[in-house]
Amino acid sequence: MANPRYISGKTPHSRETRMIFRNVDRVGWNPSIEKYLEDGGYNSFKKSLKMTPSEVTDEVKASGLRGRGGAGFPTGVKWGFIPPNNSKPVYLICNADESEPGTFKDRYILHQDPHQLIEGILISSYAVGAKIAYIYVREEFPEGAVILERAIEEARRAGLLGKKIAGTGFECEIYVHRGAGAYICGEETGLIESLEGKRPYPRIKPPYFPAALGLYMCPTIVNNVESLCHVKHVISMGGDKYSRLGTPRNTGTRILCVSGDVRKPGYFEIEVGKLTMGELINDLCGGMKKGRKLKAVIPGGSSAKVLRADETYTIRDGEGEKTIGLSDIPMDFDSLAACGSMAGSGGVIVMDDSRDMAWVLNNINTFYAHESCGQCTPCREGSLWMKKITDRMLEGGGVPSDVETLASVGDNIAGRTICAFGEACSWPTQSFVAKFPEEFKKHTKRRNVGKALNPEAKVASAGIKDKH
Amino acid sequence: MAVSKKSSEDLVNVQVDGHWIRVPKGTRMIEACKQAAAEVPHYCYHPKLTSPGNCRMCLVEMGMPPRPTPGEEAELDAEGHAKINWMPRPVIACANTVAEGMGIRTQSLLAKECRQGVMEFLLINHPLDCPICDQAGECTLQEYSVEHGNGQSRFLESKVKKPKNVDIGPRIRLDDERCVLCSRCVRFSKEVVDDDVLGFVDRGSHNTLAVHPDRKLENNYSLNTVDICPVGALTSNDFRFKMRVWFMRETKSLCTGCARGCNTLIGSREGKIYRQGPRENNKVNSAWMCDSGRMEYHRLEDPARLTDPMIKRGRTHNVVDWTEAICRAAKDLSRFKGDELAIIASGGMTNEELYLTRTLAESLEAGVVDVVKRSGSGDDYLSHSDKNPNVNGARKILKLRSPGSRLKLIHAGIAEGKIKALLVLGEDLLDIGFSEEELGGLKCMVLVHMIANPTAKMSTVVLPGAGYAEKRGSMINATGRLQRLNKAIDSPGLSREDWEILQGLNRAVDGKDEVTELVDVFGEMTSAVSIFKGLSFAGIGDLGVDVMDTGESVPLLEREAKRVRDGLIVG
Amino acid sequence: MEIPKELEKSADDAIGHYPPEEKRSAALPLLHLVQQEFGFINDDAISWVADKLAVEPIKILELVTFYPGFRQKAPGEYHIRVCRTLSCAMAGCHKTMEKICEIAGIDRSKVSHHDPIAVSSDGKFSIEFAECLASCGTGPVCLVGDDFHEEVKPENAKALLQQYK
Ligand SMILES: Cc1cc2nc3c(=O)[nH]c(=O)nc-3n(C[C@H](O)[C@H](O)[C@H](O)COP(=O)(O)O)c2cc1C
Ligand code: SF4
Ligand code: SF4
Ligand code: SF4
Ligand code: FES
Ligand code: FES
């Protein structure tokens, strides 16, 4: 049933280190358990069962693995937050909501290598003491959900799920839970509420940190698909060895997803920090399209702050402080943070000099206005306001105060909301307006009135504007 | 305020806007600020409900002392407190609790900017038509926008359209465009009265409060949502557009709809009541009351209200003056005593009225005195199955071991013709099984009541009394709490407060020549009725005092206490 | 509304995935089952789900109206969701949308926030924009029913629709 296009036999780029994506696009591969077992599948899980749960957690801590879902939080540390004297059931949730625009990595794991994920979930469940794990899959992966269900059934038949797994006292069930089309269900507490059958309104933290008060108010660990797959490799090679992949504090490999104006967009598994932005764009993605120049990059999913091609950044490395250009930024958590943006979910969106930044921001604003859950005031009201301003600018109705208003609406959201969606929706506006002021000013000139600067407006918002 | 350096077991030191105070551990920041007289504006927070933290109006600046590195002494300020490191991000004061050494700034630039930002966001899609909004005058949006808003609008876009004038239940209307989505009403319905019929539909900026068409908001506590709605989104059909709130006078009183004795605030103007709502009393009704109790005041508007004392001559009642009526009643009643005379009082009377009934009964040597039981359906929240507000008072003052049990005796006595005279206080005998024929056999029947009911028609003397909101007095509720009833408006025409009428009868019978005040009646009662010993009328205060142990508890309060213990609500 | 036995059974199975006292968790699974069965979720279905999970019907309506994945009106025989988000927009998804509508005979001029789906006059196709489908490198992308399609350039629109004759 899997769309054959996924298994293309496309060979990885020589700069890649395929670990998580080892089987993606692999010739002769399919998502069945037979293939997976032939390839040494579930050995890491069996290995983990010979360890104590806290030894497993210690390995993950030693590996330096940081979450691949967006925040880059150390996975082992998160697991350690489960209250030591806990007597309630513990849940593990695999976040397969993959919905940050620009991100397309979990998709391939789910569709092509589901057993790798199941193995990662089993090891992690064992470590944190979860007897039930839910995989929250976005609704837009209908095929993925079927593949996962089938893989879970295969694993059950192979005695890898249920009670007394592999003859030990460990028991675990995995269930697939499908979302229904909401970006906010990727936010872990929104996800939990959604899984509880409620509107996915994120919870306030404190007090509702999932590790203590998560699903059904029980300790709950939420991890991204890719993060859970990494756990398998951490156990397989040992935390120490894993930690030598990548760079210190930014260990292991990660999948970067490149889209936008490059010649060969796609996904690339690289050692974290061992590749620069320039290498990614020019070597792995074949550079910019013919005759086009790089203008800007959103480096970690659409909520990450935009980086301008001609900016310089100051970062610190082993040798001290240095000033670098966009192309020189190493693709890792800390460097991108030092450059004022983030590695986020690994979704790199590249824009060339043909792009109108107001148009780009408007597209992003439309996304966030549509996806705000609407629970808290600043995000509910501000996300739509920012969209309406950029809508109007593109329709030729911009006024000079718009630029300042846009920026200040963003400022009034970021840091003041219930969940990090507040930042996600305001960082684009804050950064685009700050970095490309001239492009926004252009849209506030009187002579624009009546000119449709956004030929797509008609298609994009057919009938919708009047309702807003 | 004197401050000690180290926090004691249960108190922590917190700095609010530069001043140090000590508050119990676990106190929410917003409550700590309140104690420091730095009220933090808020919409979604309500101490009786869980805190979703959704409005973001209560954002404040927060800081903590740095964690000292082992072996190092914390840096102290002049007052001996550790220096505070202020966080760059604001925090919500409603859901976060204080910690030792915490600093809170409610007036810093950041805190003010946050409030201004939230106010602007709340107003951009809000209809700006306060002049025609019913909430005007008690709308927190209006109030805060004056205090915390920035005055002018930068919003050039069209507003989000939402449903207006939505029928969400028999007593309430909803204007979704005014709703600020604070979810107080949703949480009240779910958490306090287990009627989870309110919800939000759609999403984002289009979020809309709604009910399912098949399940309206019609529980007997629905109107509490109107009270807690911070804006004019939920309005009571009963009150809407009838009176501007700033014209009304408010009187602290009680509901007399049942034995709960919910504390109330009565809103009135020029002799007319426009609404009544709950007044917080955590020993009685928390912050709520039932809808039927709330509507009780309409009884006072009965077109059949008695306005003048009357004496029956032949088949008609003639209006007379008070002196004549009282004298006549006293004279008629005095002709009988012992088995010939009975008094039927009411569990709806105040303690003072009951006490004056007792002294009257003693002077008249009435053979039997009892009250009428009034039971109905109660619930697991506040509403009590005893629909009389003061049976406990009657029990103690009239010394009734089993109130209502002697009514049968009286009934039989009248039927047999043994009882020849009857004093009826606040009851309608035809409504409780007495027949016109039986009552017709009486030589004399004196009625004190506010309504021209069928019993009045049969009575030889009719003395017009006052309704619950037209008089003062005290009552003892189901859990044994003594509470005060206050007068919000005058009773109509020449009608009088019942205790005055009863005092008149007492004087006419015992011939003493003294006029007392209500407080003196209470004073007298303190020596005559043991449970009132040592009390004074004023000493009852606005919230009452416990005088009896009835062994009863309030289910709603018990659940509330559990939520407080669980840290879910402040209480 | 007639609930087929099969559906009732699948619903009970789904409820079994959650702790017995937390069956409300099965709300999304049940709504998916209903939508699979009937193509959309009507008022009766909302009440049925609410009854099954012992919650007030408003709590289910809250979900149906929140998630764009749930429809309250019948779509076409094949429902198309075209990604609208940045990478696909850069790849030309708006032109793709126009082209598909043109070929399938769909008029989108009446869609609104509350009614985002347009149906072709013959009822065969319906269409709406969706947000990022997590395949940004192969845009424009779309879902037709449960089938995923990549690189749907305007010139590929015709071939795409032909698969669903
Ligand atoms: C608005 C928002 C959307 C998010 N979406 C996703 C998502 O689609 N997938 C994901 O794995 N994490 C997402 N996250 C991050 C999760 O909240 C959470 O941090 C993550 O799943 C933790 O897993 P990790 O530690 O393995 O990264 C999102 C966060 C926010 C604030
Ligand atoms: S920040 Fe936005 S998405 Fe997050 S809770 Fe608030 S309204 Fe919802
Ligand atoms: S109706 Fe009132 S109480 Fe209810 S959510 Fe809206 S503003 Fe809050
Ligand atoms: S519960 Fe009783 S006392 Fe309270 S409001 Fe209702 S009727 Fe009045
Ligand atoms: S009062 Fe609403 S967030 Fe604190
Ligand atoms: S933008 Fe279309 S799939 Fe991500």
Side-chain angles (χ1 to χ4, degrees):
Chain A
M1 177 162 182
N3 192 327
R5 199 191 326 225
Y6 298 148
I7 304 190
S8 62
K10 182 182 131 204
T11 42
H13 192 275
S14 60
R15 295 289 304 270
E16 287 191 60
T17 306
R18 289 264 177 131
M19 188 166 80
I20 304 298
F21 264 21
R22 196 172 109 84
N23 302 323
V24 168
D25 299 336
R26 188 172 154 189
V27 179
W29 183 259
N30 67 49
S32 70
I33 196 166
E34 289 79 24
K35 279 279 169 211
Y36 191 68
L37 288 171
E38 263 170 38
D39 213 39
Y42 290 106
N43 283 343
S44 305
F45 172 47
K46 283 172 192 150
K47 180 174 171 189
S48 73
L49 288 179
K50 298 206 178 75
M51 303 159 69
T52 66
S54 57
E55 280 167 0
V56 177
T57 303
D58 288 344
E59 288 301 319
V60 175
K61 281 185 183 156
S63 75
L65 173 63
R66 292 171 70 170
R68 303 295 196 246
F73 194 83
T75 304
V77 176
K78 173 149 68 181
W79 293 2
F81 288 154
I82 296 178
N85 50 357
N86 170 60
S87 57
K88 300 188 221 170
V90 176
Y91 293 96
L92 183 97
I93 299 175
C94 167
N95 189 341
D97 195 55
E98 187 158 60
S99 42
E100 174 75 17
T103 316
F104 47 97
K105 57 189 182 70
D106 300 341
R107 159 186 283 280
Y108 298 98
I109 299 170
L110 301 176
H111 287 84
Q112 298 189 32
D113 204 2
H115 285 286
Q116 180 183 201
L117 176 60
I118 293 172
E119 182 167 10
I121 290 175
L122 283 169
I123 298 170
S124 307
S125 297
Y126 176 70
V128 304
K131 290 181 186 155
I132 296 183
Y134 293 103
I135 308 178
Y136 190 102
V137 192
R138 63 179 309 193
E139 181 257 349
E140 297 88 337
F141 288 165
E143 240 178 74
V146 172
I147 293 168
L148 269 178
E149 299 262 17
R150 196 167 45 212
I152 289 169
E153 201 39 52
E154 287 173 335
R156 181 171 294 115
R157 268 192 254 122
L160 295 160
L161 286 173
K163 295 206 171 17
K164 298 217 168 90
I165 296 170
T168 68
F170 177 55
E171 59 172 281
C172 189
E173 284 294 345
I174 303 179
Y175 299 109
V176 173
H177 185 99
R178 292 183 67 204
Y183 169 65
I184 198 56
C185 293
E187 197 280 341
E188 54 189 4
T189 59
L191 186 159
I192 287 171
E193 288 280 309
S194 175
L195 188 42
E196 289 184 0
K198 302 175 186 146
R199 281 164 77 84
Y201 280 0
R203 299 172 177 170
I204 48 172
K205 290 149 272 183
Y208 301 110
F209 291 110
L213 297 168
L215 184 64
Y216 315 130
M217 291 298 147
C218 297
T220 303
I221 295 299
V222 183
N223 274 127
N224 170 258
V225 171
E226 188 190 336
S227 313
L228 290 167
C229 291
H230 279 282
V231 169
K232 169 197 151 141
H233 298 277
V234 167
I235 295 308
S236 159
M237 64 175 77
D240 192 47
K241 184 154 174 233
Y242 179 98
S243 75
R244 287 195 290 267
L245 284 169
T247 51
R249 281 186 44 83
N250 295 269
T251 61
T253 63
R254 83 170 299 180
I255 299 147
L256 297 177
C257 318
V258 187
S259 63
D261 299 323
V262 290
R263 281 189 214 212
K264 291 187 284 178
Y267 40 80
F268 308 95
E269 184 170 0
I270 57 140
E271 280 191 52
V272 186
K274 291 274 180 76
L275 189 84
T276 63
M277 181 74 85
E279 290 165 334
L280 178 68
I281 294 173
N282 296 316
D283 302 348
L284 280 67
C285 298
M288 304 304 289
K289 289 185 181 146
K290 198 160 171 248
R292 287 292 168 200
K293 285 211 306 257
L294 179 65
K295 183 173 190 175
V297 179
I298 301 173
S302 70
S303 56
K305 288 190 172 173
V306 68
L307 301 173
R308 191 175 158 130
D310 53 10
E311 268 179 291
T312 55
Y313 307 93
T314 307
I315 63 165
R316 268 181 174 282
D317 61 10
E319 294 134 42
E321 248 177 37
K322 59 180 181 184
T323 303
I324 57 171
L326 173 66
S327 297
D328 308 319
I329 302 174
M331 296 303 284
D332 65 61
F333 294 103
D334 295 340
S335 303
L336 283 161
C339 297
S341 188
M342 62 171 180
S345 58
V348 180
I349 307 172
V350 182
M351 288 154 278
D352 68 24
D353 55 352
S354 71
R355 301 296 170 187
D356 174 351
M357 292 294 122
W359 176 88
V360 172
L361 180 62
N362 180 241
N363 185 288
I364 297 176
N365 284 351
T366 305
F367 174 81
Y368 289 105
H370 186 258
E371 298 302 327
S372 165
C373 84
Q375 183 186 197
C376 67
T377 310
C379 166
R380 174 182 68 238
E381 304 297 337
S383 59
L384 183 58
W385 190 0
M386 294 188 295
K387 173 199 182 264
K388 284 177 174 176
I389 295 175
T390 49
D391 272 351
R392 187 165 43 73
M393 285 176 131
L394 291 177
E395 283 156 17
V399 297
S401 60
D402 284 342
V403 182
E404 197 198 315
T405 306
L406 260 183
S408 99
V409 172
D411 295 345
N412 282 343
I413 303 172
R416 304 181 185 179
T417 55
I418 291 180
C419 82
F421 185 105
E423 282 76 46
C425 76
S426 51
W427 282 346
T429 291
Q430 288 177 320
S431 61
F432 273 86
V433 172
K435 297 195 177 180
F436 299 95
E438 67 287 356
E439 298 221 10
F440 288 87
K441 285 200 192 105
K442 197 175 71 196
H443 286 287
T444 64
K445 301 239 167 78
R446 271 239 148 267
R447 63 184 157 78
N448 292 338
V449 174
K451 274 196 218 160
L453 296 182
N454 180 12
E456 279 135 22
K458 187 168 56 77
V459 193
S461 56
I464 290 184
K465 253 180 313 174
D466 54 342
K467 291 279 177 177
H468 270 181
Chain B
M1 190 177 285
V3 172
S4 85
K5 262 193 225 164
K6 277 248 180 291
S7 67
S8 69
E9 277 286 315
D10 311 318
L11 295 177
V12 290
N13 294 295
V14 181
Q15 191 200 61
V16 179
D17 293 338
H19 303 287
W20 287 96
I21 58 165
R22 282 155 64 85
V23 295
K25 243 185 207 156
T27 303
R28 303 276 177 100
M29 289 166 71
I30 198 170
E31 295 293 338
C33 292
K34 194 170 169 186
Q35 286 178 36
E39 199 87 35
V40 180
H42 56 276
Y43 290 106
C44 69
Y45 171 72
H46 190 290
K48 303 283 183 192
L49 305 173
T50 57
S51 304
N54 63 33
C55 74
R56 316 307 284 178
M57 190 62 189
C58 68
L59 287 167
V60 293
E61 217 177 326
M62 189 264 274
M64 287 298 294
R67 258 186 232 164
T69 35
E72 215 176 301
E73 277 293 306
E75 206 180 315
L76 301 182
D77 68 9
E79 280 180 84
H81 294 285
K83 209 179 103 227
I84 294 168
N85 275 359
W86 296 95
M87 313 276 160
R89 280 171 75 111
V91 301
I92 48 172
C94 63
N96 288 303
T97 50
V98 294
E100 175 58 31
M102 178 187 276
I104 305 172
R105 288 174 174 159
T106 70
Q107 298 302 325
S108 65
L109 186 64
L110 177 65
K112 284 182 175 163
E113 275 176 6
C114 287
R115 287 198 284 270
Q116 218 175 62
V118 170
M119 276 317 300
E120 181 178 40
F121 284 135
L122 285 174
L123 289 170
I124 56 173
N125 282 306
H126 193 90
L128 292 177
D129 52 2
C130 301
I132 60 157
C133 177
D134 201 46
Q135 192 82 359
E138 42 186 33
C139 171
T140 24
L141 195 61
Q142 194 182 36
E143 181 189 323
Y144 292 164
S145 77
V146 175
E147 273 172 61
H148 310 286
N150 56 5
Q152 68 193 46
S153 174
R154 313 186 277 171
F155 188 71
L156 306 176
E157 329 304 326
S158 53
K159 292 182 190 255
V160 174
K161 292 255 175 306
K162 289 188 191 173
K164 293 186 86 76
N165 205 10
V166 190
D167 170 16
I168 58 165
R171 295 175 285 283
I172 299 176
R173 257 168 209 275
L174 162 68
D175 182 334
D176 270 308
E177 289 189 347
R178 295 190 206 277
C179 171
V180 295
L181 302 161
C182 71
S183 80
R184 277 182 173 193
C185 56
V186 180
R187 283 174 281 140
F188 171 81
S189 302
K190 174 173 192 247
E191 296 168 11
V192 182
V193 290
D194 306 303
D195 192 31
D196 204 5
V197 294
L198 292 177
F200 293 114
V201 296
D202 216 311
R203 81 159 143 182
S205 217
H206 297 271
N207 275 354
T208 301
L209 179 73
V211 292
H212 188 272
D214 298 343
R215 285 286 281 118
K216 298 252 166 118
L217 177 64
E218 55 197 359
N219 68 64
N220 196 22
Y221 296 86
S222 70
L223 285 167
N224 293 296
T225 61
V226 176
D227 297 336
I228 57 177
C229 178
V231 292
L234 295 174
T235 46
S236 146
N237 292 345
D238 183 56
F239 177 67
R240 193 150 24 97
F241 303 132
K242 293 205 181 122
M243 177 50 61
R244 282 303 196 182
V245 293
W246 52 84
F247 290 132
M248 288 195 305
R249 207 183 61 180
E250 290 193 313
T251 309
K252 291 175 183 157
S253 193
L254 302 177
C255 174
T256 54
C258 77
R260 182 66 56 223
C262 292
N263 290 209
T264 60
L265 216 47
I266 301 175
S268 64
R269 181 169 193 233
E270 290 174 0
K272 185 171 158 56
I273 295 179
Y274 288 92
R275 67 172 177 190
Q276 68 180 342
R279 178 167 55 89
E280 183 167 335
N281 185 334
N282 291 318
K283 288 280 170 50
V284 181
N285 55 314
S286 182
W288 325 115
M289 74 186 290
C290 77
D291 290 1
S292 30
R294 204 184 284 253
M295 292 303 138
E296 279 278 306
Y297 76 89
H298 286 300
R299 286 180 194 252
L300 305 179
E301 297 159 355
D302 196 318
R305 280 298 295 267
L306 290 166
T307 52
D308 297 273
M310 286 179 286
I311 293 176
K312 191 169 186 178
R313 295 206 176 91
R315 315 181 113 220
T316 56
H317 281 94
N318 295 337
V319 170
V320 295
D321 65 27
W322 271 106
T323 322
E324 188 181 349
I326 294 279
C327 289
R328 174 64 185 277
K331 206 170 123 202
D332 285 358
L333 291 170
S334 306
R335 288 196 283 137
F336 307 94
K337 66 175 169 192
D339 286 351
E340 294 171 340
L341 175 63
I343 299 180
I344 298 181
S346 165
M349 292 164 70
T350 63
N351 292 327
E352 294 72 14
E353 291 160 10
L354 289 163
Y355 178 70
L356 292 169
T357 304
R358 170 170 138 179
T359 55
L360 185 63
E362 283 162 5
S363 315
L364 288 170
E365 293 172 50
V368 46
V369 183
D370 203 355
V371 296
V372 179
K373 291 256 280 187
R374 191 171 277 111
S375 21
S377 57
D379 61 27
D380 202 20
Y381 301 97
L382 290 172
S383 181
H384 202 282
S385 57
D386 180 356
K387 296 302 173 194
N388 272 323
N390 195 25
V391 172
N392 280 331
R395 199 174 261 134
K396 291 292 173 191
I397 296 163
L398 299 180
K399 300 180 206 149
L400 303 174
R401 202 170 296 144
S402 169
S405 59
R406 289 142 96 184
L407 275 183
K408 259 194 246 136
L409 224 73
I410 300 178
H411 201 156
I414 295 174
E416 288 162 21
K418 232 164 56 189
I419 293 177
K420 303 207 165 59
L422 195 59
L423 171 61
V424 184
L425 303 165
E427 294 292 349
D428 178 8
L429 301 187
L430 291 160
D431 197 36
I432 55 165
F434 289 78
S435 69
E436 275 192 37
E437 204 190 344
E438 288 159 356
L439 297 179
L442 288 168
K443 294 266 167 357
C444 145
M445 177 158 72
V446 176
L447 173 73
V448 181
H449 208 287
M450 55 178 251
I451 307 244
N453 61 21
T455 306
K457 230 186 202 166
M458 315 276 316
S459 303
T460 48
V461 182
V462 178
L463 305 171
Y468 76 96
E470 299 161 347
K471 62 187 183 188
R472 294 203 299 156
S474 64
M475 295 189 168
I476 305 172
N477 77 356
T479 55
R481 196 166 182 85
L482 174 68
Q483 311 193 93
R484 263 186 347 200
L485 199 65
N486 276 315
K487 178 169 165 170
I489 55 171
D490 286 330
S491 58
L494 293 181
S495 62
R496 282 186 180 170
E497 294 188 38
D498 304 38
W499 72 272
E500 292 177 315
I501 302 172
L502 284 160
Q503 175 165 257
L505 288 171
N506 268 292
R507 294 301 162 261
V509 171
D510 64 23
K512 287 185 198 149
D513 181 27
E514 54 192 46
V515 182
T516 46
E517 288 297 315
L518 182 83
V519 290
D520 304 328
V521 178
F522 188 86
E524 223 180 295
M525 209 163 52
T526 55
S527 44
V529 182
S530 63
I531 55 167
F532 299 133
K533 209 164 161 187
L535 289 169
S536 69
F537 193 73
I540 299 172
D542 289 337
L543 297 176
V545 287
D546 287 326
V547 294
M548 285 168 69
D549 181 6
T550 63
E552 266 194 44
S553 59
V554 189
L556 182 141
L557 293 184
E558 290 194 335
R559 286 192 297 270
E560 183 178 298
K562 175 161 194 316
R563 288 196 292 274
V564 172
R565 282 198 303 277
D566 292 346
L568 291 172
I569 64 169
V570 168
Chain C
M1 191 184 65
E2 193 70 39
I3 299 292
K5 273 223 166 58
E6 293 280 286
L7 178 58
E8 194 88 44
K9 185 177 174 311
S10 316
D12 292 335
D13 286 349
I15 292 171
H17 292 176
Y18 309 92
E21 62 286 1
E22 307 288 355
K23 59 182 175 180
R24 182 173 177 180
S25 274
L28 295 196
L30 262 54
L31 288 168
H32 279 305
L33 287 170
V34 168
Q35 185 159 291
Q36 252 160 40
E37 180 76 27
F38 302 103
F40 66 107
I41 298 164
N42 68 9
D43 292 348
D44 287 349
I46 289 173
S47 302
W48 177 74
V49 173
D51 279 353
K52 276 229 81 78
L53 304 180
V55 296
E56 288 292 339
I58 183 70
K59 299 293 138 179
I60 303 301
L61 189 64
E62 278 191 324
L63 306 180
V64 173
T65 56
F66 186 93
Y67 293 103
F70 296 131
R71 301 180 288 266
Q72 287 185 273
K73 276 205 324 220
E77 192 180 331
Y78 297 103
H79 183 57
I80 308 172
R81 287 187 278 176
V82 180
C83 174
R84 183 217 62 86
T85 317
L86 186 55
S87 304
C88 287
M90 290 200 279
C93 68
H94 293 86
K95 292 214 170 68
T96 298
M97 173 60 103
E98 266 184 315
K99 194 75 194 169
I100 295 177
C101 289
E102 185 193 310
I103 301 171
I106 301 173
D107 173 12
R108 283 187 77 248
S109 65
K110 299 242 161 32
V111 301
S112 68
H113 167 81
H114 292 283
D115 194 7
I117 299 175
V119 188
S120 65
S121 42
D122 60 1
K124 186 140 181 98
F125 292 103
S126 55
I127 202 158
E128 70 182 316
F129 269 128
E131 296 298 345
C132 180
L133 296 175
S135 189
C136 322
T138 57
V141 297
C142 70
L143 275 164
V144 180
D146 284 355
D147 304 343
F148 183 61
H149 299 272
E150 299 165 282
E151 288 170 13
V152 190
K153 302 246 152 63
E155 57 269 29
N156 307 335
K158 195 161 180 182
L160 173 80
L161 294 182
Q162 254 157 5
Q163 296 178 40
Y164 298 94
K165 267 237 164 113

